[in-house]
Amino acid sequence: MAKLNDTINGYRAAAATWWSARTEQEQRMLAIGGVVVALGLVWGVLVDPALTGRARLQKELPQLNQQVAELQSLAGEASQLAAQPPVQPQPLSKDGVAARLQAAGLATQNLAVTGDYIKVEFKGVPFPGLVTWLDAMRREQRVVVQEGSVTQQGPAGQVDANLTLRQESSAQ
């Protein structure tokens, strides 16, 4: 601590010596220059950012309030939709599943629908078509794959598949 005080006192003495070596006119000009620099720093660091930030916030505030109102409206809709019971998918039928397969351009070797279960066997179908059909069934009929095997066959993208699918009920 004493070393720090000695260093500060040394700087003070050097500054006082330098200041006393200046004429009165130089001292006055340096003081005015120091005040101008200090005012410039205060303006640039404190006042100007505050004024520009305030103006920016006043300009953005109406837009932000509108966004808050939209978000509150959407939150209200979401809570109303969450309170509604989920829409039940149509019960599975062999004809309905066969129609969906035909619409997807998939031919089956074997198709069996029993209650909530579908057992389907494919030979040489395009893999992208199979995945697209499974995704559509998942979204529209809440069908999940219980068991499955997919094997590449012949040309690229052609597969054989044996799938067991189950329709989920809303109670789960």
Side-chain angles (χ1 to χ4, degrees):
M1 187 73 166
K3 186 176 182 180
L4 179 62
N5 285 337
D6 291 342
T7 304
I8 292 173
N9 288 334
Y11 286 132
R12 239 186 232 160
T17 304
W18 181 84
W19 185 257
S20 63
R22 305 288 151 239
T23 66
E24 188 177 318
Q25 184 179 5
E26 286 177 326
Q27 288 178 353
R28 197 175 321 121
M29 293 302 275
L30 287 172
I32 291 170
V35 168
V36 169
V37 169
L39 287 175
L41 282 173
V42 166
W43 179 266
V45 173
L46 301 175
V47 176
D48 186 48
L51 291 177
T52 57
R54 181 177 178 212
R56 181 179 49 86
L57 287 176
Q58 284 178 339
K59 188 173 88 175
E60 291 176 359
L61 190 59
Q63 181 184 9
L64 292 173
N65 285 335
Q66 181 183 359
Q67 289 175 352
V68 166
E70 288 175 13
L71 286 175
Q72 288 173 342
S73 171
L74 290 173
E77 283 183 41
S79 64
Q80 287 175 354
L81 289 174
Q84 293 178 354
V87 177
Q88 296 297 319
Q90 295 293 323
L92 295 173
S93 70
K94 186 172 184 176
D95 293 337
V97 174
R100 289 179 184 274
L101 284 166
Q102 186 177 14
L106 299 174
T108 62
Q109 289 292 104
N110 188 13
L111 172 64
V113 178
T114 309
D116 291 342
Y117 290 90
I118 303 169
K119 177 106 171 112
V120 63
E121 183 179 342
F122 298 97
K123 296 283 185 203
V125 296
F127 183 72
L130 178 63
V131 171
T132 302
W133 175 76
L134 282 172
D135 184 51
M137 290 295 287
R138 177 191 59 83
R139 284 184 281 110
E140 297 166 8
Q141 294 292 317
R142 291 192 194 140
V143 172
V144 295
V145 177
Q146 282 295 120
E147 184 178 330
S149 68
V150 178
T151 311
Q152 180 182 354
Q153 296 296 323
Q158 298 294 312
V159 296
D160 290 349
N162 289 316
L163 302 171
T164 302
L165 311 171
R166 182 178 60 86
Q167 186 176 40
E168 294 182 328
S169 64
S170 64
Q172 293 179 349

